[in-house]
Amino acid sequence: MVSFALNGVGVSAGIAIGRAQLISHATLEVAHYTIPMSKVEGEIARFSNAVKEVQSELEALHHAMTGADVPGEFGAFLDVHWMILNDPTLSEAPKKIIVEQRCNAEWALTMQLQVLVDQFEQIEDPYLRERKSDIVQVGERVLKRLMGKPGALPAPVAEEQTILVAHDLSPADVIQFKQHRYGAFLTDVGGVTSHTAIVARSLNVPAVVATHNARQLIRDSEMLIVDGESGVVIVNPDRAVLAEYRLKQSELDLERQKLKRLRLKPAETIDGHHVELHANIELPEDLEQTLENGATGIGLFRSEFLFLNREGLPTEDEQFEAYRTVAEGMSGHPVTIRTFDLGADKNVEGLDGLARVAPNPALGLRAVRFCLAEPRLFLTQLRAILRASHYGRVRILVPMLASSGEIDQSLQMIEMAKESLREQGVPFDSQIEVGGMIEIPAAVIAMDAFVAKLDFLSIGTNDLIQYTLAVDRSDESVAHLYDPLHPAVIRLLAMAITMANKAGRSIAVCGEMAGEVRLTRLLLGLGLVNFSMHPAHLLEVKQRVLTSEVAVAKAIVDRIRRADNPDKIAALVDKLNAA
Ligand code: PEP
Ligand code: MG
């Protein structure tokens, strides 16, 4: 068996050793419908286009490999796929099925794939029988082009040791990890702060994205080592490499065990600055991990995850139950519920406003914009949050605010929700705090309105970086341009924290930067004392806080704020961490 390594972007640290389980799109539920005679030609054209697109995809892969440091076998795999794709049994036969059975292209293709798979299963020669998976992979590529989305994940074959390998995973897919525990996952595409990567981190599962062609080069059941820190994936490792990584894995486990001792220790710097370390959660089930890691509050409850992987929308009562569970579970510690951040990469079927494909979803009807455009949905959520506020210290956080008009409208909606509850005599916290997320450069530049109108602020650095640098956070082709240490990002952070501190408004960072231990001292030096992150990172960040001195950090951070050369900034960040 050939041993080889793949490089991607490590988005969730840790080492996993296990067997590959390829996500098979052919097992997806494909829509089955018949079409009228008049649509047959169009359906055939749709199929032919999908085949052509896959041809270009394979060509591009071939091109990318030429000259790259990859063994010759990979080129051979691609050649086989090219031949399969262009074989009439795959590229022509489905057209005949469309004509004869008047069925949609996806259905015709899966019918034909089944015929081919059945034929291959009869073959005695094991090598040739193996080619069945190549046919399925090529068929999946075409299907994916036709359908444009991945489907439900299969359950892992062996718990903990199964490494999921997929072309792509949507946030809705990854959230299913909460039911099926995988050892790690790899995807061909994806960026560091895509929601997919975020969910992986929150589950504490090692993950590597942007491997480009892992899904094609790795076969089912092959042994893999995934290093979620460095982004390296080793396929079919030899014994020595396996032993080396097993050792690393146990060292990491030991470190984790040691950190547990810090769970109840208050987070205070050497020079006596108290720091709040809160957790980001997606679902009430995350409470357990939050408490295990000693969070002193929930800084970000991404409530939109209540919408994913379900039929129909959650009712007010269902939402209320979810929020109340978290409010009660945190026993008086703050619980910051972010109102729905739907849109962009978190789409929900059944919501008319999101049904159309926006030309540029990250700049479209997303988050508060969507909520204000769908007031009934917004009011339902606000009522549910307010009702839960009777059972704990709940706060409302509104995402993606850009202007003072949006703040006013959101506050009016909250007043309306309060009024309707008052009329019905339903109890809620009338002093509930309302905060806004700082995620758009405009919000920092014109932050006076935010400071004047809101009770607290929280910087969503994932989006702030995306919108400042015009780099789509979920597009791996520009992942190298996504830079939390870009001088513009650092200066915006400095401006926002300084302005809020001066005005006496509490300000937090709840984007990924808050959980990156390498950046803890940078944020402390910028004057930040409220951090919110995935529970998995809390103790590591606490350890860094406990060994930091804000006064020392500030002196170096002042130099970082003035620096404009990325190398110099990186060197100063290293210096901060060595101090
Ligand atoms: C952010 O943008 O940094 C953030 C915390 O929100 P999300 O990642 O859910 O967009
Ligand atoms: Mg955001």
Side-chain angles (χ1 to χ4, degrees), residues 193 195 198 280 300 302 304 338 341 346 366 437 439 459-464 473 510-512:
T193 53
H195 286 103
I198 291 172
N280 293 353
L300 175 68
R302 290 184 162 99
E304 62 277 4
R338 172 172 78 184
D341 183 358
K346 285 177 291 197
R366 186 194 152 182
M437 286 192 75
E439 305 190 87
I459 310 176
T461 46
N462 308 337
D463 277 315
L464 186 64
R473 61 194 266 195
C510 65
E512 294 305 286

Side-chain angles (χ1 to χ4, degrees), residues 330-347:
M330 288 308 291
S331 332
H333 288 301
V335 171
T336 314
I337 303 176
R338 172 172 78 184
T339 55
F340 301 135
D341 183 358
L342 289 164
D345 62 346
K346 285 177 291 197
N347 265 328

Side-chain angles (χ1 to χ4, degrees), residues 346-360:
K346 285 177 291 197
N347 265 328
V348 174
E349 281 167 32
L351 287 181
D352 291 346
L354 294 177
R356 82 199 164 90
V357 179
N360 200 337

Side-chain angles (χ1 to χ4, degrees), residues 285-545:
E285 290 91 293
D286 300 335
L287 256 180
E288 195 184 324
Q289 203 191 358
T290 300
L291 296 170
E292 257 172 36
N293 288 286
T296 50
I298 303 282
L300 175 68
F301 179 170
R302 290 184 162 99
S303 66
E304 62 277 4
F305 278 85
L306 296 174
F307 271 78
L308 304 179
N309 293 320
R310 53 167 293 138
E311 283 194 7
L313 309 177
T315 61
E316 181 182 312
D317 281 348
E318 280 175 83
Q319 290 185 49
F320 162 65
E321 286 304 337
Y323 305 146
R324 187 178 71 166
T325 305
V326 178
E328 286 180 342
M330 288 308 291
S331 332
H333 288 301
V335 171
T336 314
I337 303 176
R338 172 172 78 184
T339 55
F340 301 135
D341 183 358
L342 289 164
D345 62 346
K346 285 177 291 197
N347 265 328
V348 174
E349 281 167 32
L351 287 181
D352 291 346
L354 294 177
R356 82 199 164 90
V357 179
N360 200 337
L363 302 184
L365 199 61
R366 186 194 152 182
V368 69
R369 302 171 180 183
F370 173 72
C371 284
L372 293 174
E374 295 282 344
R376 281 230 311 259
L377 190 116
F378 198 21
L379 269 179
T380 303
Q381 176 173 42
L382 292 172
R383 278 177 54 98
I385 299 176
L386 284 165
R387 283 170 60 192
S389 70
H390 184 63
Y391 299 87
R393 197 174 145 209
V394 172
R395 316 195 299 171
I396 299 175
L397 179 62
V398 185
M400 225 190 141
L401 289 164
S403 65
S404 101
E406 283 169 349
I407 302 177
D408 293 341
Q409 287 178 62
S410 304
L411 292 173
Q412 273 164 19
M413 295 291 287
I414 293 169
E415 271 317 307
M416 277 169 71
K418 283 184 177 176
E419 202 42 52
S420 69
L421 290 174
R422 263 188 219 112
E423 276 168 17
Q424 293 168 347
V426 180
F428 64 90
D429 173 10
S430 60
Q431 300 301 311
I432 192 165
E433 287 181 86
V434 180
M437 286 192 75
I438 305 288
E439 305 190 87
I440 302 177
V444 182
I445 297 163
M447 215 173 85
D448 10 353
F450 286 68
V451 167
K453 297 179 182 196
L454 295 163
D455 299 314
F456 68 97
L457 303 160
S458 188
I459 310 176
T461 46
N462 308 337
D463 277 315
L464 186 64
I465 298 168
Q466 147 164 283
Y467 294 128
T468 303
L469 304 180
V471 172
D472 185 334
R473 61 194 266 195
S474 55
D475 181 350
E476 83 286 356
S477 66
V478 284
H480 59 291
L481 300 173
Y482 187 95
D483 181 11
L485 294 178
H486 189 291
V489 174
I490 292 174
R491 289 175 201 176
L492 283 171
L493 283 173
M495 268 169 78
I497 297 169
T498 310
M499 263 193 280
N501 285 347
K502 267 197 189 136
R505 285 278 174 276
S506 114
I507 187 159
V509 167
C510 65
E512 294 305 286
M513 282 181 83
E516 265 189 62
V517 73
R518 179 170 176 252
L519 304 180
T520 305
R521 288 184 179 158
L522 170 68
L523 295 172
L524 286 172
L526 287 172
L528 189 81
V529 289
N530 297 296
F531 292 63
S532 190
M533 68 198 78
H534 305 290
H537 298 291
L538 274 163
L539 294 177
E540 210 186 346
V541 170
K542 189 188 277 187
Q543 190 181 41
R544 186 56 59 95
V545 168

